[in-house]
């Protein structure tokens, strides 16, 4: 593979995607629907495979919608979610034929209803509910505590009047959506969360006098990430959930209540492997560094905001000669990608604690938390990082330092395990496009638009735009500061004060990197990584303090 397509390289094996879907289905109540969350990996070939296997697409952007349609999705079966859906993207989705939306609040529900009405359609909506915390659950909880997602169950219970409001014409409220945790630690956590969700849904349906026909119980199905290990199995889940559904929604068994589950990482995580090459090996003080040709631009963009996960790499038995040119010998090289057999030279040397770092000019370009045990690595040694089919290529800092993305090769059977059939070999590219100025704010003044799937993507929202800015009167900062903030965070509200939350305005790892670059440019300063903890970019004020401190230093 590496000899054919060059290094670094993601390989996704569709046989593993099929196996994961079959296993998950057998763990869920019979007749339940599985939604594939494109967020985990929007590669069109993986999406096509999962749709062919009977999954529906769970989307939260115009770009994901475009991919689902390209993969052959029937838009009427797509499920559109997300906390900040704009009127414009809703218009695009409805025009494309999407008819089911998860709504996060009454504001969101009214917005979907209005856009549907204006489009001459009626759409189905479920309300995303932030239920009470289930006892004894583990994993990364998305809701339960105060949450930016959904609406608290207790709040909803008191708003039955508003939910029957005439404003909602255009949207049929058909059910509830829960997604309380992700990457659950074990089956018991899943059972606890999902049975709690079923009970909350039953109680809410009664309090709101709502006859629900859709119940989305979310997911949280686990998967190892960038470490060896197997997908977890859930042998007891089907029975436990069926029993709870029988108790609260007896009509579910004959389809009167559609039961949905969502999964991203569990379906595609173990299908992906990142193959890469060691560019340099050096010892500094008491630490060994292996510099790879892949870093947080290809894997683990979240490390840009300090979230490093443990990672392991498996040395491959291929020549350690650095090869600058890919040969085009498709046959015969695949067995070379096999892991090193014990007893070969590489594995015979005692393992050394090695930090795996990438090619980017920032100390943030560290793959994984801490050092890993690896045999003595030589320049040119090939490595495989397993279980990175989810949250790999597209969850990384693709644009940072303008290096090419890793190639992505999709393989499938038939063919021996060593030389599977190559379905596609592609590489993502970022393209800068001109953005026409608009005269109205489409969020507030919707105008009829042509029915087409917009070519606009999330990338466009990040393009620098000259927005007239009302400076915070007497604000503590330099006037340009808000302009810079707004150029990266278009969702920033009108009044920006020291306590304005940057995260609420859309600051994620990608935006953060961009924001730092722009602040450094605007103020001709260098912001040392040491000055940046999560608290320093919490609010407009805290980030300004960092800028101030380096300006005056
Ligand atoms: C992220 C997300 C998923 C997918 O999560 P995984 O842990 O990858 O399965 C599903 N549903 C919603 C609402 C999400 O935000």
């Amino acid at each position: 593979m590496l000899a054919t397509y060059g290094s670094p390289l993601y390989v996704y094996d569709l046989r593993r995607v099929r196996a994961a879907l079959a296993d998950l289905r057998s763990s869920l109540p019979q007749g339940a629907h599985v939604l594939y969350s494109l967020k985990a990996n929007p590669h069109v070939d993986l999406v096509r495979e999962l749709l062919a296997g009977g999954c529906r697409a769970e989307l939260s952007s115009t770009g994901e919608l475009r991919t689902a349609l390209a993969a052959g999705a029937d838009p009427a079966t797509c499920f559109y979610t997300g906390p900040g859906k704009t009127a414009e993207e809703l218009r695009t989705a409805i025009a494309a034929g999407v008819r089911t939306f998860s709504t996060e609040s009454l504001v969101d529900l009214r917005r979907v209803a209005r856009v549907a009405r204006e489009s001459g359609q009626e759409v189905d909506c479920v309300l995303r509910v932030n239920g009470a915390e289930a006892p004894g659950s583990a994993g990364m909880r998305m809701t339960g505590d105060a949450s930016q997602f959904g609406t608290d169950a207790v709040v909803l219970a008191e708003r039955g009047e508003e939910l029957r409001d005439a404003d909602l014409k255009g949207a049929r409220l058909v059910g509830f959506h829960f997604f309380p945790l992700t990457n659950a630690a074990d089956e018991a956590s899943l059972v606890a969360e999902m049975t709690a969700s079923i009970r909350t849904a039953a109680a809410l349906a009664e309090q709101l006098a709502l006859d629900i026909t859709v119940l989305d119980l979310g997911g949280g199905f686990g998967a190892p990430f960038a470490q060896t290990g197997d997908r977890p199995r859930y042998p007891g889940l089907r029975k436990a959930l069926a029993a709870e559904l029988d108790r609260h929604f007896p009509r579910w068994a004959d389809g009167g209540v559609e039961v949905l589950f969502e999964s991203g990482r569990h379906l595609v995580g173990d299908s992906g492997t990142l193959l890469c090459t060691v560019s340099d090996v050096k010892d500094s003080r008491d630490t060994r560094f292996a510099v790879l040709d892949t870093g947080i631009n290809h894997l683990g963009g979240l490390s840009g905001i300090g979230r490093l996960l443990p990672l392991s790499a498996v040395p491959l038995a291929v020549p350690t000669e650095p090869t600058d040119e890919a040969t085009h010998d498709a046959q015969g090289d695949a067995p070379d990608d096999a892991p090193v057999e014990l007893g070969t030279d590489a594995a015979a040397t005692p393992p050394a604690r090695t930090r795996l770092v990438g090619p980017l000019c920032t100390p943030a370009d560290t793959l994984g938390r801490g050092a890993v045990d690896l045999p003595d690595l030589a320049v040119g040694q090939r490595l495989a990082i397993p279980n990175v089919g989810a949250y790999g290529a597209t969850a990384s800092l693709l644009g940072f330092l303008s290096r090419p993305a890793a190639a992505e090769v999709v393989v499938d059977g038939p063919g021996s395990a060593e030389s599977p059939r190559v379905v596609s070999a592609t590489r993502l590219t970022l393209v800068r496009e001109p953005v026409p100025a608009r005269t109205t704010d489409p969020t507030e003044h919707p105008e009829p638009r042509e029915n087409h799937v917009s070519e606009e993507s999330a990338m466009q929202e990040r393009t620098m735009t000259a927005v007239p800015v009302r400076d915070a009167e007497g604000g503590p900062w330099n006037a340009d500061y808000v302009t810079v903030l707004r150029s990266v965070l278009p969702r920033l509200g009108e009044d920006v004060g020291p306590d304005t939350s940057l995260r609420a305005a859309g600051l994620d790892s990608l935006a953060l990197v961009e924001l730092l670059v722009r602040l450094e440019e605007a103020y001709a300063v260098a912001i040392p990584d040491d000055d940046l903890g999560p608290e320093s970019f919490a609010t407009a004020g805290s980030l300004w303090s960092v800028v101030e401190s380096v300006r005056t230093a």
Side-chain angles (χ1 to χ4, degrees):
M1 282 295 163
L2 282 170
T4 310
Y5 297 105
S7 178
L9 168 66
Y10 274 96
V11 181
Y12 307 122
D13 191 335
L14 294 181
R15 293 169 292 190
R16 292 195 172 206
V17 174
R18 279 195 291 277
L21 178 59
D23 288 344
L24 182 59
R25 267 194 202 297
S26 69
S27 312
L28 298 176
Q30 224 142 12
H33 298 271
V34 178
L35 306 182
Y36 173 55
S37 306
L38 267 72
K39 177 177 71 181
N41 190 333
H43 193 298
V44 68
D45 290 334
L46 271 62
V47 178
R48 187 179 295 113
E49 185 65 41
L50 287 161
L51 292 172
C55 285
R56 295 167 56 180
E58 192 245 289
L59 318 163
S60 60
S61 71
T62 304
E64 289 186 349
L65 171 59
R66 198 163 55 235
T67 302
L69 295 177
D74 171 359
T77 65
C78 291
F79 189 83
Y80 206 104
T81 65
K85 300 181 280 297
T86 64
E88 191 171 15
E89 71 175 299
L90 289 169
R91 242 187 315 277
T92 304
I94 291 172
V98 178
R99 293 293 176 264
T100 310
F101 293 84
S102 170
T103 56
E104 298 257 343
S105 64
L106 284 175
V107 170
D108 197 23
L109 181 60
R110 283 206 190 89
R111 186 179 295 138
V112 172
R114 171 167 65 82
V115 175
R117 250 184 350 254
E118 286 163 3
S119 309
Q121 297 292 341
E122 194 174 20
V123 300
D124 288 345
C125 288
V126 295
L127 266 175
R128 182 156 172 189
V129 179
N130 179 25
E133 184 167 355
S137 68
M140 191 207 287
R141 280 191 61 86
M142 310 283 282
T143 55
D145 284 334
S147 173
Q148 77 211 72
F149 301 112
T151 302
D152 291 358
V154 288
V155 174
L156 281 177
E158 292 161 2
R159 303 184 78 165
E161 285 292 299
E162 288 169 73
L163 287 171
R164 282 182 286 274
D165 197 342
D167 264 11
L168 295 182
K169 202 167 157 291
R172 270 185 305 262
L173 189 51
V174 295
F176 300 116
H177 175 198
F178 296 82
F179 191 78
L181 86 168
T182 180
N183 209 10
D186 50 37
E187 182 174 54
S189 309
L190 282 179
V191 171
E193 289 290 353
M194 289 177 176
T195 51
S197 296
I198 294 169
R199 283 178 217 149
T200 304
L204 266 182
E206 192 179 324
Q207 282 153 350
L208 300 174
L210 208 63
D211 206 12
I212 73 165
T213 54
V214 178
L215 179 56
D216 182 338
L217 292 173
F221 310 107
F225 180 76
Q227 281 195 302
T228 50
D230 295 326
R231 232 181 322 112
R233 302 294 171 90
Y234 305 113
L237 193 59
R238 169 177 278 190
K239 232 173 120 192
L241 294 183
E244 199 69 22
L245 286 166
D246 284 342
R247 207 164 299 141
H248 296 283
F249 294 99
R251 290 189 305 127
W252 83 275
D254 56 22
V257 175
E258 250 187 349
V259 180
L260 314 179
F261 294 90
E262 302 166 11
S263 178
R265 74 187 72 221
H266 189 81
L267 291 175
V268 297
D270 75 356
S271 76
T273 307
L274 177 58
L275 305 177
C276 59
T277 307
V278 176
S279 308
D280 201 350
V281 180
K282 52 196 175 185
D283 294 311
S284 167
R285 307 282 164 90
D286 52 0
T287 302
R288 166 154 302 179
F289 290 90
V291 185
L292 309 180
D293 60 359
T294 190
I296 58 175
N297 51 333
H298 301 146
L299 177 68
L302 292 184
S303 57
I305 51 168
R307 249 179 69 191
L308 292 178
L309 298 165
L311 170 144
S312 62
V314 182
L316 298 174
V318 285
T320 53
E321 223 26 53
T323 48
D324 285 324
E325 290 170 11
T327 68
H328 291 277
D329 171 21
Q331 263 80 42
D333 58 313
D336 289 345
D337 291 349
V340 171
E341 301 267 325
L342 277 176
T344 62
D345 287 350
T349 53
R353 299 294 291 166
T354 306
R355 285 191 78 97
L356 297 173
V357 299
L360 307 187
C361 310
T362 162
D365 195 10
T366 296
L367 283 171
R369 192 194 298 150
V372 288
D373 276 329
L374 280 168
D376 240 347
L377 294 178
V379 171
Q381 170 70 50
R382 267 69 193 271
L383 298 174
I385 301 173
N387 290 322
V388 289
Y391 305 112
T394 58
S396 301
L397 297 176
L398 255 187
F400 194 34
L401 274 136
S402 304
R403 285 176 171 271
E408 294 172 89
V409 179
V410 179
V411 301
D412 196 359
S416 66
E418 290 79 32
S419 50
R421 177 170 64 85
V422 171
V423 175
S424 69
T426 56
R427 185 194 312 282
L428 275 174
T429 53
L430 289 183
V431 179
R432 186 177 298 281
E433 289 178 337
V435 180
R438 43 190 177 202
T439 47
T440 56
D441 178 349
T443 321
E444 297 314 320
H445 307 286
E447 295 189 9
R449 304 190 86 218
E450 300 218 343
N451 290 357
H452 70 290
V453 177
S454 163
E455 284 298 311
E456 291 153 4
S457 70
M459 282 302 148
Q460 205 163 325
E461 287 161 24
R462 299 194 186 287
T463 312
M464 179 84 93
T465 47
V467 184
V469 174
R470 212 155 49 82
D471 290 321
E473 204 104 336
W477 42 59
N478 179 300
D480 295 329
Y481 179 59
V482 178
T483 311
V484 176
L485 286 182
R486 212 179 291 278
S487 71
V488 178
L489 304 170
R491 278 196 267 139
L492 208 60
E494 275 279 284
D495 289 307
V496 180
D499 293 326
T500 300
S501 162
L502 297 182
R503 216 156 282 142
L507 188 75
D508 54 16
S509 56
L510 203 61
L512 174 66
V513 170
E514 208 164 305
L515 185 54
L516 291 178
V517 169
R518 287 190 188 173
L519 288 171
E520 291 188 336
E521 262 170 22
Y523 296 105
V525 292
I527 301 174
D529 282 6
D530 291 353
D531 290 354
L532 292 170
E535 68 291 346
S536 38
F537 36 83
T539 63
S542 60
L543 186 59
W544 177 250
S545 313
V546 174
V547 175
E548 270 291 21
S549 69
V550 292
R551 281 176 89 207
T552 52

